[in-house]
Amino acid sequence: MSTDTPVKETAKVSEMEESFLLSNNELAGLQVIYPGMAERDTLNAFRDIRTRLLHKKPEGNFVVMVSSLDANASTSNFVAMNLAASIAMDENKSAIYLDCNLDAPHADKILQKKPEVGLTDYLDDENIPVPDIIFPSGLHRLRIVPVGNPRETAEEQFASQRMKQLIDHLSERYPNRYVVLDVPPVGSSVVARILAQYVDYAVLVVPFGKVTERQVLSGIDAVTRQRFAGLVYCD
């Protein structure tokens, strides 16, 4: 069943129907932020990242990718998911988390099961419509596209016209939907370089004390300085 029914008026975003909602305890277990959580510093940090990105493009929505500078994809998982969650906290906005992390998929953990189809399946099969790969997240106004089943040619598929068309569709279908791509580490995969050409902004996650200045500059070059929006430091 499709969960991608258009919302053409801003006022209706807050009325998006949810098939289920995760409890605060479940969200805490999944390390997903929520209003009123005890860890105020974490909540406010993501609100600040959201606000800075919104200020960069005050008119219209945007597509942003999140990648890590080290080989640990869990840091980008954490930042990308919570950036999407922070955007969806605004009752006049919605967000979609697009899992592009082939080696360390995160969407399945949030969905608490592996869907039959996802992004790689859609890219491989033109008979799969977009709504079939969009799933409710358990959070208000946040949808998820899981990475899908393994494909030998997945990285090449990311460079396809169908991938570009998907991202364009996800961002253009809703005027107040913001698309967040969770991308493999920029230093160990070509996916970040490929997908950077389809996004408005790129955020790079920097683990404290684990990367050099040269790695930071190389990461910025990989996503292009034009799209580079900033660094997020994580423990």
Side-chain angles (χ1 to χ4, degrees), residues 63-185:
V63 179
V64 58
M65 59 177 273
V66 179
S67 179
S68 176
L69 283 175
D70 77 340
N72 184 3
S74 64
T75 53
S76 68
N77 292 159
F78 175 75
V79 172
M81 183 63 206
N82 283 302
L83 174 56
S86 71
I87 293 171
M89 285 181 188
D90 186 330
E91 293 186 356
N92 293 317
K93 296 178 174 60
S94 67
I96 189 159
Y97 172 90
L98 182 56
D99 195 344
C100 304
N101 236 315
L102 299 170
D103 296 327
H106 187 62
D108 296 353
K109 296 179 182 178
I110 303 300
L111 297 173
Q112 301 182 41
K113 64 178 182 179
K114 183 176 178 58
E116 292 184 6
V117 295
L119 176 59
T120 56
D121 306 285
Y122 170 83
L123 295 175
D124 194 50
D125 186 350
E126 294 187 358
N127 293 316
I128 297 177
V130 173
D132 282 9
I133 62 169
I134 298 178
F135 297 86
S137 67
L139 287 83
H140 287 294
R141 298 173 296 279
L142 176 59
R143 300 290 184 258
I144 285 180
V145 176
V147 73
N149 293 293
R151 291 286 195 282
E152 288 294 332
T153 59
E155 292 184 351
E156 286 75 16
Q157 288 175 325
F158 285 158
S160 68
Q161 184 66 18
R162 187 164 169 82
M163 181 67 180
K164 180 182 185 303
Q165 290 171 346
L166 173 65
I167 294 174
D168 289 344
H169 172 87
L170 293 176
S171 63
E172 294 172 1
R173 186 171 173 83
Y174 295 78
N176 292 294
R177 172 195 269 170
Y178 296 77
V179 183
V180 180
L181 279 66
D182 184 357
V183 178

